[in-house]
Amino acid sequence: MATVAARSVGLLSDATGPEVGYPGLTGTDDVEDVLAALNRMAGDLEQTATQLTHYLEDEFAAGNLTPEPGSIDQNAPTVAAARKALTDVQENAQNLTRLLTTAETAMLALRPGN
């Protein structure tokens, strides 16, 4: 599912690109729709990162995580690094949500000239 989401974002980028004449954008309403959808996606990314953190913690607590053969890493520092990175993802997704809300609000005030 994550691969499908990544491909979809790539297609969205293609549909909104100036190099191909913005084929997916016909007006400010389209921009508002894209911003609203990206905002929902950012919230979902935050939730997904939270769920991945819980899964990692549960698997570590259950003793299901072991280092790669030949690795000198201990489990606890590696899990801590992953937990920190996922926390950063959550915080960045929150920031992305705030920024997209600001952009969407600004777009609501814009209308194309006649």
Side-chain angles (χ1 to χ4, degrees):
M1 286 186 285
T3 301
V4 170
R7 285 185 187 140
S8 295
V9 171
L11 291 172
L12 177 63
S13 180
D14 293 344
T16 57
E19 61 281 352
V20 290
Y22 310 103
L25 301 174
T26 59
T28 57
D29 288 345
D30 290 337
V31 175
E32 292 167 20
D33 290 345
V34 170
L35 290 170
L38 290 173
N39 201 337
R40 286 189 306 273
M41 185 183 70
D44 290 344
L45 286 172
E46 179 185 354
Q47 180 62 33
T48 299
T50 299
Q51 291 166 183
L52 291 172
T53 301
H54 292 305
Y55 174 80
L56 178 66
E57 290 169 348
D58 290 348
E59 288 295 294
F60 181 65
N64 295 333
L65 301 177
T66 58
E68 286 288 320
S71 171
I72 59 171
D73 281 339
Q74 298 297 313
N75 288 350
T78 303
V79 170
R83 184 183 303 119
K84 170 68 172 112
L86 287 167
T87 298
D88 289 348
V89 169
Q90 292 166 31
E91 291 170 2
N92 282 297
Q94 288 174 353
N95 191 41
L96 181 58
T97 298
R98 283 190 297 273
L99 292 169
L100 287 165
T101 297
T102 299
E104 187 179 357
T105 301
M107 285 303 303
L108 290 171
L110 297 175
R111 292 290 166 240
N114 293 329

